[in-house]
Amino acid sequence: MKINSTIRIIGECVVLVPYKKLHVEKYHRWMMSPDLQALTASEPLSLEEEYEMQQSWLIDNDKCTFIVLDKYLLAEKGSEIEAMIGDTNLFLVDQEDRTRAEGEIMIAEPQFRGQKRGWEAMLLMFRYGIEQLGLKTYQVKIGLSNTPSIGMFQKMHFEETTRSDVFQEVTLECSVSEKWKEWLRENIKHYEIASDEMRNEC
C-alpha cells in the first residue's frame, strides 16, 4: 500500500519497515526454503519475479506489507538487511467491505523464533490496521500442522471459524471490540509511527 510506503512502526523489540528493493534479495533467499514455502503456502519465484512482486505490493491498495527488523540487531549493525528477520502482511479480503483483513506473519530466521518477535510484530500490525486503515475484523489462515502459529493466535483471542481437511488449513477470526482494543494496547509495550528515512529506495 502506498499509505505505508513512507512510514515505519517502532515497537519494543522489532521495527516494521516498508518492503523495498534493497530487501528483495534476502527475502528471495528466504523463500527458496522448502520449509518456509510449506509454512506460507507459497510457490518459489525467480529473483526477477520477486522484484516485480515487491513493486506490485508497493502500489497494491489491498495489501499492506512490512519487513520485520530486529530492533537490537538494527542498532548494532546499522543495516536493515542484516536486521531482517521476517515479514508481516494485512490483506483486505472484501472489495466492498474494506474493514476486513487477513493477517500474516513469518519469522524467517530460525534463531528469532520463539522469542515473541512474531507476536509483537503481529500486534503492531493489528493496531496499525485499526487506527490507520479502519479495520474491524481480522482473520488468519494457518496450516493444520503449524500448531505454534495456531496457538499464538488463540492467545490473541482469535477463534476458529472453519477447518478444511482438503486444504489442510484452519481459519480463525477476531472482531475488533473496545475490550480487544484495550487488550491490544495493554500487550504492546511500545508503539510509534515514524517517517521512513529510506523511503526513496522503493
Side-chain angles (χ1 to χ4, degrees):
M1 281 183 174
K2 289 184 178 180
I3 191 174
N4 79 296
S5 64
T6 59
I7 61 106
R8 57 178 52 203
I9 304 172
I10 302 168
E12 182 187 25
C13 299
V14 299
V15 179
L16 309 184
V17 297
Y19 183 30
K20 301 182 288 284
K21 287 181 180 178
L22 76 159
H23 302 130
V24 172
E25 288 194 19
K26 185 170 182 177
Y27 185 88
H28 181 254
R29 290 197 299 272
W30 283 343
M31 299 315 297
M32 290 295 99
S33 161
D35 290 340
L36 286 178
Q37 289 170 21
L39 284 172
T40 59
S42 302
E43 295 293 330
L45 300 177
S46 68
L47 183 58
E48 181 180 358
E49 288 171 330
E50 199 68 69
Y51 274 108
E52 291 173 357
M53 187 70 75
Q54 180 269 330
Q55 285 295 295
S56 73
W57 289 352
L58 185 70
I59 61 174
D60 191 332
N61 287 326
D62 296 329
K63 182 167 185 176
C64 183
T65 301
F66 285 97
I67 293 293
V68 181
L69 309 180
D70 180 75
K71 190 174 182 179
Y72 305 108
L73 203 54
L74 180 63
E76 177 188 347
K77 302 291 186 179
S79 164
E80 286 192 10
I81 296 172
E82 291 191 60
M84 286 173 65
I85 62 171
D87 79 324
T88 182
N89 308 287
L90 291 175
F91 303 91
L92 298 181
V93 296
D94 190 327
Q95 287 294 325
E96 294 183 2
D97 180 6
R98 297 180 66 81
T99 65
R100 296 174 57 85
E102 179 181 340
E104 289 187 348
I105 181 68
M106 176 184 74
I107 299 300
E109 296 292 339
Q111 67 270 33
F112 288 97
R113 294 175 191 158
Q115 297 185 14
K116 292 281 191 177
R117 298 300 194 269
W119 170 277
E120 183 185 6
M122 200 74 260
L123 293 189
L124 292 172
M125 279 293 270
F126 288 150
R127 181 167 173 178
Y128 178 79
I130 293 167
E131 297 181 0
Q132 304 299 321
L133 306 178
L135 298 178
K136 296 180 180 178
T137 306
Y138 288 111
Q139 70 177 39
V140 292
K141 295 181 179 180
I142 307 169
L144 291 175
S145 62
N146 191 353
T147 51
S149 188
I150 293 171
M152 182 183 81
F153 283 102
Q154 287 174 334
K155 290 177 182 177
M156 293 176 179
H157 304 286
F158 278 66
E159 296 183 355
E160 182 177 330
T161 55
T162 60
R163 179 177 291 251
S164 171
D165 293 326
V166 175
F167 296 105
Q168 287 291 293
E169 184 178 78
V170 62
T171 299
L172 300 96
E173 288 195 359
C174 180
S175 296
V176 178
S177 63
E178 287 302 320
K179 184 177 180 180
W180 193 69
K181 284 194 286 187
E182 182 180 348
W183 176 87
L184 199 59
R185 288 190 290 267
E186 288 174 353
N187 282 271
I188 296 174
K189 295 182 179 179
H190 184 86
Y191 177 83
E192 176 188 352
I193 295 180
S195 173
D196 187 60
E197 67 271 16
M198 300 184 74
R199 60 187 177 275
N200 293 325
E201 297 192 30
C202 61

